[in-house]
Each structure stands twice: as C-alpha cells, then as structure tokens.
Amino acid sequence: MNGEWVLVAEKMLQASDLNTNQNRLLLRRCDAQKRLLPLLRQSELEAVMNSNGGLNIEISTANCDIVFEVQFKHWGSSKGFIFNGRGWRNLRSHFKEMLTEGNILRFYRFRGDGEGEEGRDRKLQMRMVVVPSSEMMKAADILVSFRRKRPSAISAG
C-alpha cells in the first residue's frame, strides 16, 4: 500500500496535561477542527461531540510497539477537544519519563491508497512521536519520513 504519514495534531505539554487528577490532554482547537474532525464519518463526529461518550481511537508509538485506546471527545466547558480515558492514563503512565512539561507531542495518521470501503469499520489509528523540544522537531520529521517510505531493493550490479 502506498501512502504517507500526515501530521494531524501537535501539542506542547503543559503542567495541566500531565496532572494525574485531570487525566486528559487538551488538544489545540485548530488542530482538531482542521486536521482531525475532517477524517471522521458522521457517526464518529457525533460520538466526539457527545461529551458523555467520545470516540475510541488507537494511539501507538512511532515504532508501533504498544497501542493505547483513548477517547477523543469535545470538551464542552472549554469548547476544546481532549484525549482522555483509561487509555490516556495508561499512555501517560507508560511514558512518564518522556512526557514532561515543554516536550512536544505530535500525532500522525497514515493516509494511503487503500482508504476506501475496506477501511470503513476500522478505528481511527494514529502514531505518537515525543520530541524533547522544538529544536528536535526537525529530527522527528526526518524519523517519521523514514517510516513513510518502503525500502527499495538494492541490486548488485
């Protein structure tokens, strides 16, 4: 399958994002509205906007070694969008050494040729990259670009 990883959300972590009592990552509203919501079918959008439920999505690390099911929902009190739920708590706990204030989280979604009818029943899946600072952002872009392309065969000549 051909395709590429597309950035759908980016967030510089703040103290409130890491507070275990709050158990949520507040996303930038512009990212959610311009990059995430357009990916959803009508039923998924309705689930997101229903602040009682939310939409279960899968987030894995860039190397795909572990998957966390988190809730993506509209947060009425701030008119923003959040990731939360048990999956978010587990993700935050698993990466507690990497998730510190000022670090940047980037979330990517694979967009490929095969996105048609066959992918309709699949959950929205994203990959998460943690970068320690904006200076490291370029390095993260390079690493993700390696995951975009399949290695080509090298012929001995």
Side-chain angles (χ1 to χ4, degrees), residues 150-156:
R150 293 177 178 235
S152 56
I154 300 173
S155 60

Side-chain angles (χ1 to χ4, degrees), residues 1-60:
M1 173 177 14
N2 294 322
E4 64 179 336
W5 288 99
V6 178
L7 179 67
V8 293
E10 181 176 273
K11 172 70 191 252
M12 181 179 287
L13 291 172
Q14 300 183 11
S16 61
D17 296 315
L18 302 169
N19 184 330
T20 56
N21 294 325
Q22 293 187 10
N23 190 38
R24 55 102 180 118
L25 174 71
L26 180 61
L27 301 171
R28 295 187 322 180
R29 192 176 320 160
C30 62
D31 280 349
Q33 291 173 332
K34 292 180 182 175
R35 297 177 178 173
L36 276 170
L37 296 181
L39 300 174
L40 305 178
R41 296 184 298 273
Q42 184 62 35
S43 60
E44 294 171 324
L45 183 58
E46 289 169 5
V48 169
M49 299 309 285
N50 176 359
S51 60
N52 292 331
L55 176 68
N56 289 332
I57 63 172
E58 293 178 347
I59 296 177
S60 64

